[in-house]
Amino acid sequence: NAGVTQTPKFRVLKTGQSMTLLCAQDMNHEYMYWYRQDPGMGLRLIHYSVGEGTTAKGEVPDGYNVSRLKKQNFLLGLESAAPSQTSVYFCASSYGRDREFVDQPQHFGDGTRLSIL
Amino acid sequence: AQKVTQAQTEISVVEKEDVTLDCVYETRDTTYYLFWYKQPPSGELVFLIRRNSFDEQNEISGRYSWNFQKSTSSFNFTITASQVVDSAVYFCALSEAAGNTGNQFYFGTGTSLTVIP
């Protein structure tokens, strides 16, 4: 009963390096999300997707790119990592259809702790 | 402007005390949904409850209870006879129906609860 799985769990990067965070869900959810969590700021939405092949910007999209080539996977990329991107990243998914269903809880992965030196 | 406000940043209580976590939200929609999540020290986010804007009935689940008051735009969470295992960060979230493509949530900044044995 995996739910939402994020890899890796921890990563340390040097400024300017690139990397991709992987999120996989096995609940057949249409909607997927990437958040970052910083002290005192709660969860802020980076990008989200309402279905395979679609992505949209959230509140803090700058410096990140995403792709949703398969329904079950949602990738978050950092092209040139900066110390300001040091954070805990959470992926989530929820049931949805036709851009509706705003009453569904989002289900979260365990997070990825990313440090950029 | 913050759509969800959790004014209590940190709360400490002694075990077996009751504690209430406040959540105040702001929306112009008549249809919306409110959620509470728990983030224990292990880091994962756990869905606790959902409430829709048309149902003001209070909810009780064991030692947990939720008080939804539209008149004050509040959705407060009370833990009765707190236990050490209740120590966590608790997040309140809002999902609005109008114009919400993809079931986007607005999260509060969280309240860190410490239960002292």
Side-chain angles (χ1 to χ4, degrees), chain A residues 31 33 35 37 40-45 48-50 57-58 88 90 94-95 99-111, chain B residues 2 9 31-33 35 37 39 42-47 50 89 91 95-98 100-110:
Chain A
Y31 299 163
Y33 315 84
Y35 292 90
Q37 182 180 18
M41 304 191 76
L43 290 154
R44 293 183 293 167
L45 184 64
Y48 67 100
S49 168
V50 298
K57 294 180 180 180
V88 180
F90 284 96
S94 72
Y95 177 79
R99 297 176 180 266
E100 296 181 354
F101 291 90
V102 297
D103 63 335
Q104 298 297 302
Q106 294 182 9
H107 301 269
F108 286 82
D110 289 343
Chain B
Q2 193 78 4
T9 305
T31 303
Y32 54 89
Y33 302 85
F35 302 80
Y37 283 81
Q39 186 178 38
S42 51
E44 72 275 20
L45 281 142
V46 179
F47 165 66
R50 171 187 59 199
V89 180
F91 290 97
S95 175
E96 298 172 309
N100 186 355
T101 58
N103 189 25
Q104 295 179 63
F105 282 14
Y106 296 97
F107 280 90
T109 52

Side-chain angles (χ1 to χ4, degrees), chain B residues 8 14 37 43 63-64 77 94 117:
Chain B
Q8 305 152 306
V14 176
Y37 283 81
R63 296 185 298 106
Y64 294 174
F77 174 26
L94 165 72

Side-chain angles (χ1 to χ4, degrees), chain B residues 1-64:
Chain B
Q2 193 78 4
K3 281 188 173 282
V4 178
T5 301
Q6 294 180 256
Q8 305 152 306
T9 305
E10 295 181 0
I11 300 176
S12 292
V13 298
V14 176
E15 199 171 22
K16 298 184 182 178
E17 288 184 345
D18 300 347
V19 58
T20 296
L21 310 182
D22 298 333
C23 173
V24 174
Y25 62 91
E26 179 183 336
T27 181
R28 293 181 179 180
D29 281 6
T30 56
T31 303
Y32 54 89
Y33 302 85
L34 296 161
F35 302 80
W36 275 96
Y37 283 81
K38 174 182 180 180
Q39 186 178 38
S42 51
E44 72 275 20
L45 281 142
V46 179
F47 165 66
L48 295 178
I49 192 171
R50 171 187 59 199
R51 172 65 69 220
N52 73 61
S53 54
F54 298 106
D55 181 4
E56 288 196 71
Q57 196 169 21
N58 289 338
E59 176 104 8
I60 298 175
S61 176
R63 296 185 298 106
Y64 294 174

